[in-house]
Amino acid sequence: TAVCNLGSVNLTKHIQDGVINEEMIAGTIRTAIRMLDNVIDINFYPTPEARNANLLHRPVGMGVMAFQDALYKLRIPYASQEAVEFADVAMEQLSYFAIRASATLAGERGAYETYEGSLWQQGILPIDSIALLKEARKDGDLSLNTYSRLDWTPIRELIAKHGMRNSNVMAIAPTATISNIVGVSQSIEPAYQN
């Protein structure tokens, strides 16, 4: 039985002067990862299996909402190369700050129970999975942008020092209900009606 505790950053609230405010989004993600980790300990679980799996692996899923609203705010068409570039920047920041927050929490509260032998423990981060996929393909064909804008060395060092508090830290959460309550577009989806 798998349980994942999800949360989402409202991208529109983190755009200032035509870009994502890195300091602001880093703070939001740091707080959100801490709160999602707390939920694991105080949650109600319908089955013992769900409780045991959650406590063993401590998975959380930090995602985004209001992707299309952020594009509106930046006056970028959804189906454009600029939108792809914005997505690349936003998702790298989400990944970077979520992983950093979990590794920092591991220094404070300890790594999740099944950390030993994990990809994290082996030094393999989600951004490394593209290279592994390319290597696994017989023809090696994988035409993706693998450019990183952020320096991942400090994150790798932090994980090597403390481990990870959570086995998973990111998810493209659906956010259908919460984004509706907030009044923004769901997840990374385009608006489906006026």
Side-chain angles (χ1 to χ4, degrees), residues 37 40 53-60 102-103 105-107 109-122 124 159 162-169:
D37 188 66
I40 292 168
N54 224 24
L55 292 173
L56 191 64
H57 308 297
R58 306 191 70 80
V60 299
S102 183
L105 266 181
R109 299 175 175 176
Y112 66 95
E113 215 174 305
T114 56
Y115 173 76
E116 289 300 317
S118 69
L119 292 175
W120 297 113
Q121 195 262 333
Q122 296 171 48
I124 300 171
I159 294 168
H162 299 298
M164 288 288 285
R165 179 68 177 164
N166 314 96
S167 60
N168 299 326
V169 290

Side-chain angles (χ1 to χ4, degrees), residues 121-143:
Q121 195 262 333
Q122 296 171 48
I124 300 171
L125 276 56
I127 60 167
D128 303 323
S129 62
I130 294 172
L132 296 174
L133 176 62
K134 185 173 184 174
E135 201 175 284
R137 290 195 172 170
K138 291 186 186 350
D139 60 6
D141 183 35
L142 189 64
S143 53

Side-chain angles (χ1 to χ4, degrees), residues 61-117:
M62 193 74 242
V64 299
M65 66 173 120
F67 180 77
Q68 183 163 17
D69 294 300
L71 293 178
Y72 285 152
K73 192 171 186 176
L74 296 170
R75 305 196 50 77
I76 298 173
Y78 190 90
S80 69
Q81 187 56 41
E82 282 178 285
V84 172
E85 288 301 315
F86 175 75
D88 195 50
V89 168
M91 295 307 138
E92 184 175 5
Q93 287 178 356
L94 176 78
S95 178
Y96 188 93
F97 296 125
I99 293 168
R100 183 173 78 181
S102 183
T104 302
L105 266 181
E108 223 178 277
R109 299 175 175 176
Y112 66 95
E113 215 174 305
T114 56
Y115 173 76
E116 289 300 317

